[in-house]
Amino acid sequence: MNRFVNTISARLSLRIPQRESLEILAQVTDEIELSKSDQHSLTQKLEKIKTLFPSVEDFEREFPSLCFALATGVGKTRLMGAFISYLHQAKGVNHFFVLAPNLTIYNKLIQDFTPNTPKYVFQGISTFANKPPFIITGENYEQSGMFLLDPELVKINIFNISKINSEVRGGNAPRIKRLSEYIGESYFNYLSGLPDLVLLMDESHRYRASAGVKALNELKPVLGIELTATPQVESGSKTIPFKNVIYSFPLHKAMEMGYVKEPAVATRENFDASNYSEDQLERLKLEDGIRVHEETKIELEVYARQNHKPIVKPFVLIVAQDTNHASDLMSIIQSEDFFEGRYKGKVITVHSNQRGEEKDETIQQLISLEDPTSDTEIVIHVNMLKEGWDVTNLYTIIPLRAANSKTLVEQSIGRGLRLPYGMRTGEMSVDRLTIIAHDRFQEIIDEANNPNSIIRAGVIIGRDVAQEQKISITIEPTIDVQVIQKVVSNIDKELGNNPDSSGDQITQKKIEVKQEIAKKTMETIRKYEYKANTRDLSTNDFKVQVVQEIQEAYQHQQLEMFEEPKEKIIEETVKQVLQLCEELTINIPRIIVQPTGDLTWGYKDFDLDVSKIHLQPVDENILIQHLRTHQRELLTNRKRSYTMERLEDYLVAALMDYDDISYDDHAELLYKLAGQLVTHLQSYLLKEEEVLNVLQYNQRLLADLIHSQMKEYYFEKATSYEVIVSKKFETLKSVNCSINKVDGSRNFREPVEDKLSIKSMVFNGFVKCLYQQQKFDSDSERRFAVICENDVNVLKWFKPSRNDLKIYYNHTHVYEPDFIVETNDKKYIVEVKKANELDDKIVQAKASAVVEWCNHATKFELENGGKEWAYLLIPHTDVKENMTITGLESKYRLSK
């Protein structure tokens, strides 16, 4: 594979569709010359590409132009960064023109191409580290003349289509086409005269009108790259697909591979829309949408607290019919009779009639919606947010008076599919986008079940990704494999100068018999796990004991074919197996730290954070059905048939169900926290029955929220601690896991292009590892394995499974390290962590526990002829193949 493609894919952590798109661009640019095209050369270039990619029927422009059709949420902007990096590094291209279809996308692109911003597209590209590309925009191009003359500087022009497609007003040409004194020509003519201009068109379906095509043709780029999720244009009632699609990654693939949220549709159970007027139905959908929103908000907070993630603040998108309708909705939602005015000042409206400062302010509010401190919880829009608005915290869509179900499915859900944490979490509420559609529920379900819908198949044009298939595998410890291999190799040696006898029946029978003895020996040794000391393996007494048990269990007549005495055959085999057990096992002390005397534990006093709770009363059940998987959820009315004496009792009763909460010890704190939450509910729910409704309906959810905050204030303290250290023998066990069938098993030294898919791979080729194969959670772990294999001082290493090493870092959680390594003079517990997570309090809590464990393990081992233990906490940025364990220890060893 092209080395530039490999490097860029690794540096930018490209996903599978992004990497495959980059591979195609490399193929294309190797096949055709990046030069200005006349009609003859344009035809030749098209024929060459059609040979490789038959789906490309026509460029549809006066220059080579190819469309990459990637579903919303897959990462088109990052792919632009990969394309530019490749074309500059591999083909020497220095001039790029990135075209945006509207102001929202234009501002977003400028931000993403600016260094030191959260989504910077060149993060990790060393070529641009010291000298990043110069960004030229519609605001600064007239002042950029001095930079245009630097031949080595990469220039990226980012323009809104209106800047080059403006109509002549009052007889004056658009400013971009006027004469510039500095460069001696108009900026537009300067661009069209560049010999290596590459045009990248974001949301390219917006540039298919005749005026847009004419303006782009006049730029005369050497190559056009189109990016869109909808490679088609509407002409009347007809849908016309693009003829230049070279790669397609449709939405259903993005859903299957977990790149986006799962869309779901919601209504009320047993609902009949014909019983409601249009205004009544609209009000009902608004209220139910807010109920779903508030519950989602709590679920997101609970998930974030329990998993130590940033808290995501969701918002609601309401689709209005026109600007008058949007204005009416704004008045309803901000009125006092809509949830007591709770959402006043938390709603913004977006539509095409906005101009000047009003529009600029709205655009800024849209861009900042992901900020948890943003006040906006509801966005009302009128046909303005069809693409390019890539926030990750849209969770609820309320379409009102929408045109049809197909439009709802294909346009509305695209705005909310992006995931806040970049990947699925496994929590339904965090991974779901809900569409409130009481009156269109069945229509949307039917449309989603249509085999040609974007949920099922989508527009598949050109090269499509292969279906991933999972297979289960068992990873055997090296010792189990080596025992059998060793027995066979010893018999081969006994054959001496008669290698032809290796195939005869007697020799084959000898092999089978010795293999059987070896297996029985391993079974016998494993009986002594947690009973025998590891050092017992090398003693004669232990060997005699094992030999005796094997002889008693084995049928001696099977040994008649051997020349040696039967007892000697068994003794030699047992000796070989015991020796392998010593060689292929890392002796790990069993250390238990247990409190003695009085143990004090509990929760410190604190005030509950209730700022994100705005749950609403529930009257009827809300049914939510996932469009792709058909999975159903029910937001049920859980009203109790009984009432409790105090409102706080609902929460306290639920909290008492948690194993780590003692009512007798924590009653005062429980009622304080429950009281704070009840007081908060009473602050915005004016009727007592509404507060009771919310407590009854959300009892478990609210208890989860309180408990998740309580855990941050947990403490335990003992009068003293007793450390029990034992040296018990334990062989490694087989590990069962699943991998992608298409990946198979690959050599651990091979770089991985798609960093996100590494968890579904299994690696082989190790010499020092105590397992024949290993799985890794990150590419930095794979590189650390390379360090272990390269380091002459390393004897053996492995990735421990859940039960190999139990180190508690709090009262319930066990730390599972990444690696255990043994060198000539030490043993190490190693953790490879993202550099920006080293100071995380959970990471530090684990580190403290491991350092304590290593201190006790070292003391015990040195007293018994063993080795020192050390803990290394290594940032992923310093896991490089030129490092050694000693070198890493000098920088990253933690000690008390």
Side-chain angles (χ1 to χ4, degrees), residues 577-628:
V577 174
L578 288 173
Q579 184 178 347
L580 283 171
C581 284
E582 285 192 87
E583 294 174 358
L584 301 175
T585 303
I586 295 179
N587 299 333
I588 303 173
R590 296 290 150 184
I591 298 177
I592 302 173
V593 180
Q594 60 184 29
T596 59
D598 295 331
L599 175 65
T600 303
W601 65 277
Y603 297 92
K604 299 175 185 177
D605 185 37
F606 72 99
D607 290 320
L608 194 68
D609 179 4
V610 296
S611 59
K612 297 178 180 64
I613 301 175
H614 296 291
L615 293 166
Q616 304 298 334
V618 174
D619 295 322
E620 301 290 344
N621 297 341
I622 294 180
L623 174 67
I624 299 176
Q625 178 164 322
H626 289 222
L627 295 180
R628 185 177 70 88

Side-chain angles (χ1 to χ4, degrees), residues 815 818 830-848 871-879 891-894:
Y815 169 58
D818 291 335
V830 180
E831 181 77 17
V832 177
K833 208 71 182 172
K834 286 184 179 179
N836 62 358
E837 295 179 359
L838 293 180
D839 295 328
D840 180 82
K841 66 179 183 178
I842 298 298
V843 173
Q844 291 299 312
K846 292 176 180 178
S848 297
Y871 177 56
L872 309 184
L873 180 59
I874 307 172
H876 78 287
T877 50
D878 214 6
V879 181
K891 297 173 68 175
Y892 301 115
R893 177 171 179 169
L894 297 186

